[in-house]
């Protein structure tokens, strides 16, 4: 299917829990992470906790969020959105920006896609990223995604940035 990386044995995905909130709180203080993921900075802890509980208790049929663990520590999350007709949109966020660019996102995305394929029957994956997010683009291409369009713009890291859409059929 998709080639493994050197960090594969250290990366796992699992359901998120309310006990993970301490990690989420830490991510909320990482300015680089917050800016890149459009998280509101200086968010009050009770508001953030309430948001996390909604994520944990999410029961929508067309959305799934799983935690990413590195060496048994939660370091981010990976999502499947718009799950319908054997397709889903893949999304990922690594909470500690110091871990970016180390292959963790690739391993976690690959694991989520394997799970989605075997457990949910997903055969088509889509993804979207900002044109200037070179790491994300490289990860998607390494996973086998192909660019299918460039539509829309979004504010990203201080600038209005073009969006690139990707697709992968298994």
């Amino acid at each position: 299917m998709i080639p493994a990386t050197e960090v594969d044995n250290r990366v796992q995905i699992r359901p998120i829990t309310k006990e993970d909130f301490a990690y989420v709180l830490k991510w909320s203080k990482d300015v680089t992470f917050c800016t890149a993921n459009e998280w509101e900075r200086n968010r009050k802890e009770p508001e953030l906790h309430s948001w996390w509980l909604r994520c944990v208790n999410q029961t929508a049929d067309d959305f799934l969020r799983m935690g990413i663990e590195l060496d048994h520590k939660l370091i981010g999350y990976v999502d499947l959105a718009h799950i319908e007709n054997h397709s889903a949109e893949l999304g990922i966020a690594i909470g500690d920006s110091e871990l970016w660019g180390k292959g963790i996102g690739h391993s976690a995305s690959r694991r989520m896609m394997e799970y989605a394929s075997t457990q949910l029957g997903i055969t088509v994956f889509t993804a979207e990223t900002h044109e200037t997010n070179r790491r994300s683009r490289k990860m998607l291409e390494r996973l086998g995604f192909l660019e299918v369009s460039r539509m829309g713009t979004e504010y990203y890291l201080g600038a209005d940035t073009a969006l690139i859409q990707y697709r992968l059929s298994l």
Side-chain angles (χ1 to χ4, degrees):
M1 182 185 207
I2 300 166
T5 69
E6 63 280 354
V7 297
D8 253 7
N9 293 333
R10 299 172 50 209
V11 174
Q12 301 295 322
I13 62 169
R14 60 147 175 93
I16 56 174
T17 69
K18 63 182 180 181
E19 289 77 18
D20 293 327
F21 180 68
Y23 297 109
V24 175
L25 185 59
K26 182 179 176 193
W27 307 337
S28 76
K29 296 174 192 226
D30 183 325
V31 172
T32 304
F33 170 80
C34 289
T35 303
N37 289 281
E38 297 182 11
W39 275 34
E40 182 181 330
R41 290 177 41 204
N42 303 314
R43 204 166 176 187
K44 302 266 189 274
E45 187 173 330
E47 179 189 349
L48 186 64
H49 187 258
S50 179
W51 170 81
W52 185 248
L53 290 178
R54 284 193 306 277
C55 291
V56 169
N57 296 317
Q58 168 71 296
T59 58
D61 291 335
D62 69 342
F63 182 84
L64 175 66
R65 174 166 287 164
M66 301 282 275
I68 302 169
E69 284 190 347
L70 175 67
D71 300 329
H72 308 287
K73 176 183 167 192
L74 188 77
I75 55 96
Y77 53 87
V78 60
D79 299 332
L80 293 174
H82 312 295
I83 301 168
E84 184 179 16
N85 297 326
H86 304 287
S87 85
E89 181 178 352
L90 180 71
I92 187 165
I94 304 296
D96 181 347
S97 62
E98 292 181 13
L99 296 174
W100 294 357
K102 301 188 182 311
I104 297 164
H106 178 271
S107 293
S109 294
R110 190 177 58 74
R111 287 191 184 279
M112 179 60 117
M113 291 168 60
E114 288 171 353
Y115 174 85
S117 175
T118 59
Q119 302 300 312
L120 305 174
I122 304 297
T123 58
V124 176
F125 294 90
T126 60
E128 182 175 76
T129 194
H130 301 94
E131 182 178 42
T132 56
N133 190 340
R134 300 203 190 292
R135 285 184 179 132
S136 179
R137 292 173 59 190
K138 181 179 175 183
M139 179 198 74
L140 290 168
E141 290 163 7
R142 282 184 58 217
L143 288 166
F145 280 81
L146 298 175
E147 181 179 326
V148 294
S149 62
R150 291 181 180 233
M151 294 188 319
T153 61
E154 196 172 77
Y155 198 73
Y156 178 70
L157 295 180
D160 200 30
T161 306
L163 292 168
I164 303 174
Q165 294 77 36
Y166 290 86
R167 180 182 171 99
L168 171 65
S169 297
L170 300 180

